[in-house]
Amino acid sequence: MILLARIRPPPRLLQQHRRNLSAKALANANLGFKRDVDLVEQQALVNRQGDLVRALKARKAPKEEIDAAVTLLKDLKFKLQEFEAASPKEEASQDESSGTSSQASGKRFREAVTNALERRMFFTNSFGIYGGVAGLFDYGPPGCAVKANVLSFWRQHFVVNDDLLEVDCPCLTPEAVLRASGHVEKFTDLMVRDVKEGHCFRADHVLKDFVKDALEKDPRMPAAKRDDYTRTLASLDDFSVEELGAKIKEYGIRAPDTKNDLSDPFPFNLMFGTPIGPTGLLQGYLRPETAQGIFVNFNELLYYNGGKLPFGAAQIGQAFRNEIAPRQGLLRVREFTLAEIEFFVDPADKSHPKFASVADLEFFLYPRAEQMSLKDPVKVRLGHAVAQKVINNETLGYYIGRTYLFLTALGINKNRLRFRQHLANEMAHYAADCWDAEIECSYGWIECVGLADRSAYDLKAHSTASKSNLVASRDLPEPVVVEEFAAVPNRKEIGVAFKANQKLVLEALQELNNEEALEMQKKLESDGEAPLHICNADKTFTIKKGMVTFNKQVTKKSKEKFTPSVIEPSFGIGRIIYCLFEHCFDTRGGVDGQLNVFRFPPLVAPVKCTVFPLVQNPKLDGIARAISAKLREAGIGNKIDTTGRSIGRRYARTDEIGVPFAITVDSEDGVTVRDRDSKDQIRVPLEEVVDLIADMSAGKRSWKEVQGVYPAHVAAKASDETDE
Amino acid sequence: MILLARIRPPPRLLQQHRRNLSAKALANANLGFKRDVDLVEQQALVNRQGDLVRALKARKAPKEEIDAAVTLLKDLKFKLQEFEAASPKEEASQDESSGTSSQASGKRFREAVTNALERRMFFTNSFGIYGGVAGLFDYGPPGCAVKANVLSFWRQHFVVNDDLLEVDCPCLTPEAVLRASGHVEKFTDLMVRDVKEGHCFRADHVLKDFVKDALEKDPRMPAAKRDDYTRTLASLDDFSVEELGAKIKEYGIRAPDTKNDLSDPFPFNLMFGTPIGPTGLLQGYLRPETAQGIFVNFNELLYYNGGKLPFGAAQIGQAFRNEIAPRQGLLRVREFTLAEIEFFVDPADKSHPKFASVADLEFFLYPRAEQMSLKDPVKVRLGHAVAQKVINNETLGYYIGRTYLFLTALGINKNRLRFRQHLANEMAHYAADCWDAEIECSYGWIECVGLADRSAYDLKAHSTASKSNLVASRDLPEPVVVEEFAAVPNRKEIGVAFKANQKLVLEALQELNNEEALEMQKKLESDGEAPLHICNADKTFTIKKGMVTFNKQVTKKSKEKFTPSVIEPSFGIGRIIYCLFEHCFDTRGGVDGQLNVFRFPPLVAPVKCTVFPLVQNPKLDGIARAISAKLREAGIGNKIDTTGRSIGRRYARTDEIGVPFAITVDSEDGVTVRDRDSKDQIRVPLEEVVDLIADMSAGKRSWKEVQGVYPAHVAAKASDETDE
């Protein structure tokens, strides 16, 4: 599992808890934890040890020394967890669920939301009439509209606002690209197989479920065994494949359904493979993320940007992961939409020109130090966090701030949103700093956006593998005088001597560096010939005197080349939408009992407005139709309802899909507009209503503002209430 | 190939010329054809025979009779083609190219467009640093913006305007779905393989290229041979796999590159296959179209729509086809974006409530009769075409009209757009009527949108395969009294007798129709037992007396169930965009010689506006930045250029990506706004410019209108011209 953290994708977005589980569990449990003396004492120990580990790492202490300190830290944390496990059950089981509400009530809430979502076809199981496929979901009309609104706002908030270079690359990706990125080799989960039936399970899930189940069902388990089980639970994500296999054997764990024997764990690559083209020889995969499409286009994008850094590129698109056993509904799926930004900067200057625009934001950060010392997330001013180097640099800080603004504008509750810094053992070795935007929902704190400073890793990996130089150049502080020794080939002789290989030879000669050129010149003078080894082609050619001469050139260089660093915000759109559903879900009393309402902000609401005539009447119907048509023309999705159902029932139907505004046509020159959340109504002249709804839908005017402009419609409000 | 026409996807959108090539060639050639006496005579023969074939089909004559008439028709058309082949080369070669410009100039034009597109990264070859993959392309920043604008307008024009139910389903699709749709069995191209090297070729391409090449290179070919080759060319798409193989053998055709022997042709499935889940047992494919996701959700969508017909569902998404040998650049790719609508109607009533809104449109139709009788496409009023039954029904006509409005609003030249009706042999047997929106570009007339009335085929296929009833219900003209004989099972006895199978038995009993129930009742009374055969499970159970009784119920039925017909407009977004690039491309003189300009309408232009200060000056720079920021806030992508380059050069840079408006900040209270196409300029007060650009970008106000409101800026225009 640790290996996973070393390549680009796995530990980040949309991968479940591959990080140090114990740290996570502690961090979560901590939220509602009652501290007593023992606990404080143990915390202090963990804190001190955590400080030590960080200090050792900071001064690049020998590996053994760090390892020993980490082992002790784990022991301490394990004891802390054991302590916690001894607390009342409800608290101990909060690992997966919310820290403030119990697991049971979380599940009830989730069921209510899911029912409301399925009832109005926000989503369905894909291919349901054929029995469905685990991990695949369809968005129905309102879900699809929410998604379109979220993506459109994402484009506005990030791409248009910061003039990012958006690209659109295929999902089909040839193996070479994903080999270079590390996915072919390392994008795996450990799997075990039912040796008789062939059923597959995630090895860590099997072990975790077994141990958890045993701990829960057997309260009188001997202390030593409980000790061992708890320790296993705490180190689950640190186990090597061998350790995992040994534990499964040791505990005699069998297939959960059939009770057959299980195979040893083995790595299963999570990419969907499919050959491209008819021969079957070009292996391809469905991309597990969209980022690689940007990296391989780096040179083109830099050129498009006039050769200047910094710049950002963006991509929205589908990505695919062949999960072994998808759980958690919409949160863990096999196909999903990502929106990713790769912001390229000079590693020597990671400032951001617009940082000041977000510096004064205050929200919850959960820095490494707070996690290690078991403290709560802290509400902090972004500018302060960057100035204190809690967040590594301005550009990373800028995107954390913009992400905060993005998520809260969508309707994510800012008190259930935190930015959690990766612990040292969660981060890839090359990463400078990583933060996850985590949103709390009934499944617990879910990573929905990953924000990472990945240094130059990706561009370097593709430069090496593709033999293209993915580099930018910068002005030197002062011009440097360079002596260059350049080969001047005799094309004719080389052509005659090397025929089909002449191009290869010519290129290799031109790429000789100063030392190599000098050496060849010497050899040619002394021996009359010199070997030219071409690494890429693994061939050696003999160059004879006369085929090449050398020219000494003294040039002034004012620029130098370098590989840019990349700061990557990566948004799991489906996860954000699911959390949004939960945060916006509410119920209220109505004529038919409890009614569901989604309190979507107008910006993301699937339908912005309903239009109905107060009574069935051709004139009012005609006006309602005209308003509806004008709204459509203005691009505002709306529903017209001329069924003559009671107003209360109509409201209930539209509340269920979160329509923020309702227009009731009750006369020929004016209408009432009702706000979903306050149920307040105002009187608006006919000719102003379309612009009003357009402005409110686009977030240009708020209901509060509008209430100051138009008179209230009190009578109608009362009838609405009683009608409901 | 004919088989292909019988299932849903292949002959339609994004499949090349699987239709009767001779008819197509004639239709195209016809556009610029010089008629003489011989030709007129031959045409008359073809016309008469065409009429006969249609008449025979109309009165459902015996198959042999129709076949004989079709064979003769083909012969006649072949002779006509032969005649045409004898015409000067430039004209004869117009099959693939435009009808009005020669192939050579078409290619030159295409190269100029492609260079312009690549130069400014409208698109690139995907994974170029790894050598690229045939048939895969990336959209760079301006291409991506054009695509986003096209899709956003599509959503506005179709989904919002007609309140369609948009869904979003995965690309990954389990085999059962695509088996039901016919893709697993029939979605194939015929392929031949180089027996030594394994290289693959499309069998029809190999034959076509060989014959064309021979005809072109050997003008003194004996008449009989020429005759045979021309006949082969004309019947290429009608050949069976055996006939194709026989021709390749007969002509001794070898692999084009290696000259090795070729295998016999065999069908190659064009879907990308990939197993879903870790066991490898659930075969999946990448969807070749988005439509199936809608069909399998039919019941949910009908419910969402309150059980009412008609309604339309829509989907935008990626689709995949593993082309054997992608040609034609952006027109034939392995991964592409489709936007599809499935409009469900009662087969007994295909009227459309909004048909009147498009009835008065006039544009080019190319009905079957005109194609068969070698006439030109006709410019006709849509209402007339539907009234005359040239177009089968109002709903199909409505979508043809809306498609015309959509494409021309994007910037497609209405004189290079036609709606061509499928010939009888191009259509699937179940289809009621099919039309392609064809756009003329340098590759010839390209089908970019398919519009088909597919009758009830798709819903019936999925009903059968999934055993779900995908049906709607309608009111009967008068209620009908129905005697129903319903089984009342004794659950306990059945449970005891059939244990694991009890559910199966109970369901089967409940599904007995009147006759079956009566028969069973009789048998039970006479023999004491009766067999119950369950087809789906292929099992027979013995039902004993006492396990079931029967109840006669007399009910009044006021509704009946039926399978809706579906009318399907299917948009190949990439093809439309490529044709748009060609139609908008232009060149004009400038200071650096010929300059490229894309004359995109503001609606699709990737960047709506540039902002530059007239001279480098902190005050003007500040104003320019403020305008740019306000435009961004309003969601209007814009470029700011404070480099101080000459105005003419700045215009040239932005013309290259088709920016329609330029704001020059030349004072502190007003700006000039320049229109790309006319180069006219107007003076606009500072505080009005953002709204003005917003309105023009959204198509709310035209440049012409705006010119009437603001004063012209003549001096600046002159300087602009000289500067260029």
Side-chain angles (χ1 to χ4, degrees):
Chain A
M1 288 295 181
I2 284 295
L3 274 182
L4 282 174
R6 303 203 161 257
I7 67 151
R8 93 172 299 288
R12 305 165 316 128
L13 188 63
L14 304 184
Q15 290 286 7
Q16 190 189 26
H17 319 298
R18 284 159 212 246
R19 74 183 81 117
N20 189 318
L21 182 69
S22 54
K24 167 104 194 272
L26 288 174
N28 280 333
N30 185 39
L31 282 178
F33 217 93
K34 288 187 216 85
R35 285 175 184 79
D36 62 17
V37 181
D38 281 352
L39 187 60
V40 170
E41 207 169 291
Q42 291 196 30
Q43 271 184 356
L45 283 171
V46 170
N47 293 3
R48 232 177 302 152
Q49 189 64 20
D51 289 343
L52 176 66
V53 169
R54 261 171 291 124
L56 287 172
K57 285 186 176 171
R59 62 173 164 83
K60 298 191 174 152
K63 191 175 173 302
E64 306 76 50
E65 208 174 313
I66 298 181
D67 285 351
V70 167
T71 306
L72 181 54
L73 179 62
K74 275 189 196 162
D75 275 347
L76 290 168
K77 288 202 283 181
F78 159 68
K79 274 193 192 138
L80 193 70
Q81 196 175 40
E82 207 186 10
F83 182 89
E84 173 206 3
S87 313
K89 180 122 188 267
E90 191 118 316
E91 269 186 52
S93 68
Q94 286 176 7
D95 175 357
E96 294 280 331
S97 119
S98 139
T100 47
S101 61
S102 80
Q103 206 164 30
S105 82
K107 270 193 188 159
R108 272 197 306 278
F109 176 77
R110 189 191 308 154
E111 270 169 27
V113 179
T114 306
N115 285 344
L117 292 171
E118 287 182 346
R119 186 176 138 81
R120 295 306 299 273
M121 209 185 170
F122 276 87
F123 74 92
T124 65
N125 288 310
S126 301
F127 317 111
I129 62 170
Y130 288 94
V133 177
L136 295 181
F137 295 92
D138 298 342
Y139 288 97
C144 193
V146 168
K147 184 179 170 188
N149 292 336
V150 168
L151 290 179
S152 157
F153 180 58
W154 192 90
R155 199 170 255 139
Q156 163 66 20
H157 186 79
F158 291 106
V159 177
V160 173
N161 188 73
D162 284 338
D163 210 7
L164 303 182
L165 308 183
E166 190 179 346
V167 299
D168 183 16
C169 310
C171 302
L172 290 166
T173 306
E175 185 165 61
V177 174
L178 295 162
R179 194 172 282 289
S181 67
H183 287 84
V184 170
E185 206 184 333
K186 309 246 178 81
F187 189 57
T188 56
D189 269 349
L190 292 178
M191 183 158 97
V192 289
R193 219 187 261 275
D194 176 329
V195 293
K196 280 194 190 147
E197 299 290 329
H199 303 169
C200 300
F201 308 93
R202 257 179 68 171
D204 57 341
H205 282 180
V206 164
L207 181 56
K208 181 180 171 188
D209 292 350
F210 175 87
V211 170
K212 267 186 123 176
D213 198 53
L215 285 170
E216 276 171 23
K217 286 197 181 150
D218 186 2
R220 272 172 292 174
M221 188 184 279
K225 194 171 176 188
R226 170 168 301 273
D227 210 78
D228 176 50
Y229 276 18
T230 316
R231 191 178 288 270
T232 295
L233 210 52
S235 352
L236 213 53
D237 281 3
D238 294 332
F239 281 150
S240 69
V241 50
E242 293 79 16
E243 288 168 329
L244 209 51
K247 277 288 167 206
I248 289 173
K249 276 229 171 68
E250 181 191 333
Y251 297 163
I253 302 176
R254 294 165 165 273
D257 45 357
T258 62
K259 304 299 165 198
N260 290 331
D261 281 346
L262 289 171
S263 73
D264 283 337
F266 58 95
F268 171 75
N269 194 298
L270 297 177
M271 289 195 294
F272 287 96
T274 186
I276 302 172
T279 62
L281 299 175
L282 177 61
Q283 182 58 28
Y285 296 95
L286 298 179
R287 61 181 175 193
E289 57 175 16
T290 67
Q292 303 305 328
I294 295 175
F295 296 134
V296 299
N297 271 312
F298 175 76
N299 280 348
E300 300 251 12
L301 290 165
L302 180 66
Y303 177 80
Y304 186 84
N305 202 50
K308 283 197 223 69
L309 278 191
F311 73 88
Q315 182 166 202
I316 298 173
Q318 294 302 90
F320 302 81
R321 299 187 186 181
N322 197 7
E323 297 288 348
I324 294 173
R327 297 175 171 188
Q328 298 188 310
L330 289 176
L331 293 182
R332 179 158 299 271
V333 292
R334 287 178 165 149
E335 178 174 343
F336 47 90
T337 302
L338 286 182
E340 298 192 294
I341 296 168
E342 308 298 328
F343 197 87
F344 297 101
V345 296
D346 184 335
D349 175 15
K350 295 181 178 176
S351 65
H352 193 286
K354 289 180 167 184
F355 181 72
S357 69
V358 294
D360 286 332
L361 292 173
E362 265 194 41
F363 49 84
F364 286 108
L365 290 187
Y366 205 4
R368 205 173 293 152
E370 271 68 16
Q371 295 172 61
M372 297 292 281
S373 59
L374 303 176
K375 290 185 186 145
D376 284 333
V378 287
K379 199 166 196 174
V380 66
R381 202 181 138 269
L382 186 54
H384 182 75
V386 171
Q388 298 297 308
K389 285 276 169 198
V390 172
I391 295 171
N392 184 281
N393 59 70
E394 270 192 12
T395 299
L396 187 57
Y398 177 73
Y399 276 104
I400 288 175
R402 292 294 293 172
T403 300
Y404 171 80
L405 291 173
F406 173 73
L407 294 173
T408 51
L410 292 182
I412 293 296
N413 181 341
K414 66 176 188 223
N415 295 317
R416 301 179 72 190
L417 167 64
R418 68 183 186 194
F419 290 82
R420 194 186 67 79
Q421 191 172 30
H422 281 204
L423 299 176
N425 66 341
E426 290 178 72
M427 279 207 309
H429 63 281
Y430 49 77
D433 194 9
C434 297
W435 293 77
D436 287 338
E438 296 187 331
I439 305 176
E440 194 193 32
C441 74
S442 65
Y443 290 101
W445 287 93
I446 301 299
E447 38 184 318
C448 291
V449 186
L451 298 119
D453 180 337
R454 300 177 51 76
S455 76
Y457 179 77
D458 308 281
L459 292 183
K460 281 191 173 157
H462 284 297
S463 292
T464 307
S466 71
K467 305 191 178 87
S468 298
N469 276 329
L470 304 179
V471 292
S473 62
R474 70 179 146 222
D475 291 336
L476 286 167
E478 274 181 53
V480 177
V481 175
V482 188
E483 271 195 9
E484 271 182 338
F485 214 61
V488 183
N490 181 329
R491 281 164 188 278
K492 203 177 151 196
E493 289 209 18
I494 287 173
V496 171
F498 302 110
K499 298 200 176 74
N501 287 318
Q502 61 180 300
K503 203 172 155 228
L504 210 59
V505 171
L506 285 170
E507 279 175 8
L509 285 174
Q510 249 134 24
E511 277 173 17
L512 291 177
N513 65 28
N514 280 353
E515 291 84 55
E516 290 164 343
L518 239 133
E519 200 191 313
M520 182 174 279
Q521 196 192 29
K522 261 190 213 158
K523 263 232 142 104
L524 285 177
E525 268 163 29
S526 62
D527 307 356
E529 62 178 50
L532 175 71
H533 183 67
I534 302 178
C535 298
N536 301 351
D538 200 22
K539 282 182 181 165
T540 303
F541 299 94
T542 303
I543 304 295
K544 300 221 164 116
K545 209 174 171 176
M547 287 185 186
V548 63
T549 53
F550 292 88
N551 224 339
K552 197 180 189 179
Q553 287 175 322
V554 178
T555 50
K556 251 193 187 175
K557 276 205 168 174
S558 58
K559 283 183 182 291
E560 62 177 347
K561 293 197 167 164
F562 67 98
T563 306
S565 279
V566 63
I567 282 137
E568 176 191 81
S570 172
F571 294 73
I573 298 299
R575 289 188 162 198
I576 293 169
I577 290 174
Y578 177 75
C579 291
L580 186 64
F581 287 156
E582 280 205 7
H583 287 203
C584 292
F585 181 71
D586 200 358
T587 53
R588 60 181 171 201
V591 66
D592 294 328
Q594 200 81 334
L595 297 175
N596 298 328
V597 51
F598 280 102
R599 300 192 186 276
F600 297 123
L603 182 72
V604 291
V607 173
K608 306 300 182 195
C609 175
T610 45
V611 188
F612 18 72
L614 183 65
V615 291
Q616 275 184 307
N617 161 330
K619 246 186 199 154
L620 298 187
D621 276 13
I623 295 170
R625 277 179 217 288
I627 293 174
S628 171
K630 272 195 189 150
L631 286 167
R632 277 181 213 296
E633 256 174 58
I636 297 163
N638 67 89
K639 295 255 174 233
I640 182 161
D641 184 342
T642 56
T643 56
R645 268 183 293 212
S646 84
I647 292 280
R649 275 172 211 259
R650 293 189 223 179
Y651 285 156
R653 290 278 299 165
T654 60
D655 281 354
E656 273 192 305
I657 58 166
V659 181
F661 307 113
I663 299 173
T664 303
V665 181
D666 45 15
S667 82
E668 286 173 46
D669 42 43
V671 297
T672 62
V673 176
R674 180 240 198 194
D675 169 54
R676 174 198 62 211
D677 294 338
S678 64
K679 293 184 184 176
D680 287 342
Q681 296 196 55
I682 51 174
R683 290 291 307 165
V684 179
L686 204 54
E687 60 279 12
E688 292 178 27
V689 70
V690 171
D691 285 345
L692 175 68
I693 298 288
D695 284 355
M696 290 196 296
S697 300
K700 286 189 198 165
R701 297 164 81 182
S702 71
W703 178 254
K704 272 257 163 79
E705 277 170 64
V706 163
Q707 274 186 309
V709 178
Y710 296 100
H713 186 60
V714 185
K717 187 191 166 192
S719 86
D720 162 17
E721 295 294 348
T722 53
D723 195 42
E724 281 183 11
Chain B
M1 289 294 181
I2 285 294
L3 274 181
L4 283 175
R6 301 199 165 259
I7 67 150
R8 95 172 299 287
R12 304 166 316 125
L13 188 63
L14 304 185
Q15 289 286 5
Q16 189 189 29
H17 318 298
R18 284 157 212 246
R19 73 181 82 116
N20 189 318
L21 181 69
S22 52
K24 165 106 196 266
L26 288 174
N28 280 334
N30 185 39
L31 281 179
F33 217 92
K34 288 186 216 86
R35 285 174 186 78
D36 65 14
V37 183
D38 281 353
L39 186 61
V40 170
E41 207 169 290
Q42 290 195 30
Q43 270 184 357
L45 283 170
V46 170
N47 292 2
R48 233 176 302 151
Q49 191 63 21
D51 288 343
L52 176 65
V53 169
R54 261 170 292 123
L56 287 171
K57 286 186 176 170
R59 65 173 162 84
K60 297 192 173 147
K63 191 174 172 302
E64 305 76 49
E65 210 173 314
I66 297 181
D67 285 350
V70 168
T71 305
L72 181 53
L73 178 62
K74 276 190 194 160
D75 276 347
L76 289 169
K77 288 201 281 182
F78 159 68
K79 276 194 191 135
L80 193 70
Q81 195 174 39
E82 206 186 11
F83 180 89
E84 175 206 1
S87 314
K89 180 119 188 273
E90 192 116 318
E91 270 186 51
S93 68
Q94 287 176 7
D95 174 357
E96 294 280 332
S97 121
S98 141
T100 48
S101 62
S102 79
Q103 205 165 29
S105 82
K107 270 193 188 159
R108 274 198 304 278
F109 176 77
R110 190 191 309 153
E111 271 169 28
V113 178
T114 307
N115 285 344
L117 292 172
E118 286 181 347
R119 185 174 139 81
R120 295 306 300 273
M121 210 184 171
F122 277 87
F123 74 91
T124 66
N125 288 311
S126 301
F127 318 111
I129 61 170
Y130 288 93
V133 177
L136 295 181
F137 295 93
D138 297 342
Y139 288 97
C144 193
V146 168
K147 184 178 171 189
N149 292 336
V150 167
L151 290 178
S152 158
F153 180 58
W154 191 90
R155 200 169 253 140
Q156 162 66 18
H157 186 78
F158 290 106
V159 178
V160 173
N161 189 71
D162 285 339
D163 210 7
L164 302 181
L165 309 183
E166 190 179 347
V167 299
D168 182 16
C169 310
C171 301
L172 290 166
T173 306
E175 184 165 60
V177 174
L178 295 162
R179 193 172 283 287
S181 68
H183 287 84
V184 170
E185 207 185 330
K186 309 245 177 82
F187 189 58
T188 56
D189 269 348
L190 292 177
M191 184 158 100
V192 288
R193 218 186 261 276
D194 176 329
V195 293
K196 280 194 191 144
E197 298 290 331
H199 302 168
C200 299
F201 307 93
R202 255 179 69 171
D204 57 341
H205 283 179
V206 164
L207 181 56
K208 181 181 171 185
D209 292 350
F210 174 87
V211 170
K212 268 188 121 175
D213 197 53
L215 284 171
E216 274 172 24
K217 285 197 180 149
D218 186 2
R220 272 172 290 175
M221 188 184 280
K225 195 173 175 187
R226 171 167 299 274
D227 209 77
D228 176 50
Y229 276 19
T230 317
R231 192 178 290 269
T232 295
L233 209 53
S235 351
L236 213 53
D237 280 5
D238 294 333
F239 282 148
S240 68
V241 50
E242 292 79 17
E243 288 168 329
L244 209 52
K247 278 287 168 208
I248 289 172
K249 275 229 168 65
E250 183 190 332
Y251 296 163
I253 301 176
R254 291 164 167 278
D257 45 357
T258 61
K259 305 298 167 200
N260 290 332
D261 280 346
L262 290 171
S263 73
D264 283 336
F266 59 96
F268 171 75
N269 195 300
L270 297 177
M271 289 195 296
F272 288 94
T274 186
I276 303 172
T279 62
L281 299 175
L282 177 61
Q283 182 57 26
Y285 297 95
L286 298 180
R287 62 183 174 191
E289 55 175 18
T290 68
Q292 303 305 329
I294 296 175
F295 296 135
V296 299
N297 270 312
F298 175 78
N299 281 348
E300 299 251 15
L301 290 165
L302 180 66
Y303 177 80
Y304 186 84
N305 203 49
K308 283 196 226 72
L309 279 190
F311 73 87
Q315 182 166 200
I316 298 172
Q318 294 301 89
F320 303 81
R321 299 187 185 180
N322 197 6
E323 297 288 348
I324 295 173
R327 300 175 171 191
Q328 298 187 310
L330 289 176
L331 294 180
R332 178 158 300 272
V333 292
R334 286 178 166 147
E335 178 173 342
F336 46 92
T337 302
L338 286 181
E340 298 192 293
I341 297 168
E342 308 297 327
F343 197 88
F344 298 100
V345 296
D346 184 335
D349 175 15
K350 294 180 179 177
S351 64
H352 193 286
K354 288 179 166 185
F355 181 73
S357 69
V358 294
D360 287 331
L361 293 173
E362 267 194 36
F363 50 84
F364 286 108
L365 290 188
Y366 205 4
R368 204 172 293 151
E370 271 67 16
Q371 296 172 61
M372 297 294 281
S373 58
L374 303 175
K375 289 185 187 144
D376 284 335
V378 287
K379 198 165 195 174
V380 64
R381 201 181 139 267
L382 186 55
H384 182 75
V386 171
Q388 298 295 309
K389 286 275 168 199
V390 172
I391 294 170
N392 184 281
N393 60 70
E394 271 192 6
T395 298
L396 187 56
Y398 176 73
Y399 276 104
I400 289 176
R402 291 294 294 172
T403 299
Y404 170 81
L405 291 174
F406 173 73
L407 293 173
T408 51
L410 292 182
I412 293 296
N413 181 341
K414 67 176 187 223
N415 295 316
R416 301 178 73 189
L417 167 64
R418 68 184 186 193
F419 290 82
R420 194 186 67 80
Q421 191 172 31
H422 280 205
L423 299 176
N425 66 342
E426 292 178 71
M427 281 207 308
H429 65 281
Y430 50 76
D433 194 9
C434 297
W435 294 76
D436 287 338
E438 295 186 332
I439 304 176
E440 196 194 29
C441 73
S442 65
Y443 290 101
W445 286 93
I446 301 299
E447 39 185 318
C448 292
V449 187
L451 299 120
D453 180 337
R454 302 178 48 76
S455 76
Y457 179 78
D458 307 282
L459 291 182
K460 280 190 174 160
H462 284 297
S463 293
T464 307
S466 71
K467 305 193 180 89
S468 298
N469 276 330
L470 305 179
V471 292
S473 63
R474 69 181 145 220
D475 290 336
L476 287 167
E478 277 180 51
V480 178
V481 175
V482 189
E483 272 194 7
E484 273 182 336
F485 215 62
V488 183
N490 181 329
R491 284 166 185 274
K492 202 178 152 195
E493 288 209 17
I494 287 173
V496 171
F498 301 110
K499 296 195 180 79
N501 288 316
Q502 61 178 302
K503 203 174 153 224
L504 210 59
V505 171
L506 284 170
E507 279 173 6
L509 285 173
Q510 249 133 24
E511 276 172 18
L512 293 177
N513 64 27
N514 280 353
E515 293 83 55
E516 291 164 341
L518 239 131
E519 201 192 310
M520 181 173 282
Q521 195 192 30
K522 260 191 215 159
K523 265 233 144 109
L524 287 177
E525 267 162 32
S526 61
D527 307 354
E529 63 177 50
L532 175 71
H533 182 68
I534 301 178
C535 298
N536 301 351
D538 199 22
K539 283 183 181 165
T540 303
F541 299 94
T542 304
I543 304 296
K544 300 224 166 119
K545 210 173 166 175
M547 287 185 185
V548 63
T549 54
F550 291 89
N551 224 339
K552 197 181 189 176
Q553 287 176 322
V554 178
T555 50
K556 251 194 187 175
K557 275 206 168 173
S558 57
K559 284 184 181 289
E560 61 176 348
K561 292 196 166 163
F562 67 97
T563 306
S565 279
V566 65
I567 282 137
E568 177 192 81
S570 172
F571 294 73
I573 298 300
R575 289 188 160 199
I576 292 170
I577 290 174
Y578 178 76
C579 291
L580 186 65
F581 287 156
E582 280 206 7
H583 286 204
C584 291
F585 181 71
D586 201 356
T587 54
R588 59 180 170 201
V591 67
D592 294 328
Q594 200 80 334
L595 296 175
N596 298 327
V597 50
F598 280 103
R599 300 192 185 277
F600 296 123
L603 182 71
V604 292
V607 173
K608 307 300 181 193
C609 176
T610 44
V611 189
F612 17 74
L614 183 66
V615 289
Q616 275 185 306
N617 161 329
K619 246 185 200 157
L620 298 188
D621 275 13
I623 295 171
R625 277 179 216 288
I627 293 174
S628 172
K630 273 195 188 152
L631 285 167
R632 278 181 212 294
E633 254 175 58
I636 296 164
N638 68 89
K639 295 253 174 235
I640 183 160
D641 183 342
T642 55
T643 56
R645 268 183 293 214
S646 84
I647 292 279
R649 275 171 211 259
R650 293 188 223 180
Y651 285 158
R653 290 278 300 164
T654 60
D655 280 355
E656 273 192 307
I657 58 165
V659 181
F661 307 112
I663 299 173
T664 304
V665 181
D666 44 16
S667 82
E668 286 174 47
D669 42 43
V671 297
T672 62
V673 176
R674 180 242 200 192
D675 169 53
R676 175 196 63 212
D677 294 336
S678 64
K679 295 185 183 174
D680 288 341
Q681 296 196 54
I682 52 174
R683 291 289 308 165
V684 179
L686 204 54
E687 61 278 13
E688 291 178 28
V689 70
V690 171
D691 284 346
L692 176 69
I693 298 289
D695 283 356
M696 291 197 295
S697 300
K700 284 187 196 165
R701 297 164 82 180
S702 71
W703 179 253
K704 272 257 162 78
E705 277 170 62
V706 163
Q707 275 186 307
V709 179
Y710 296 101
H713 186 60
V714 186
K717 188 193 166 189
S719 86
D720 164 17
E721 295 294 347
T722 53
D723 195 44
E724 281 185 8

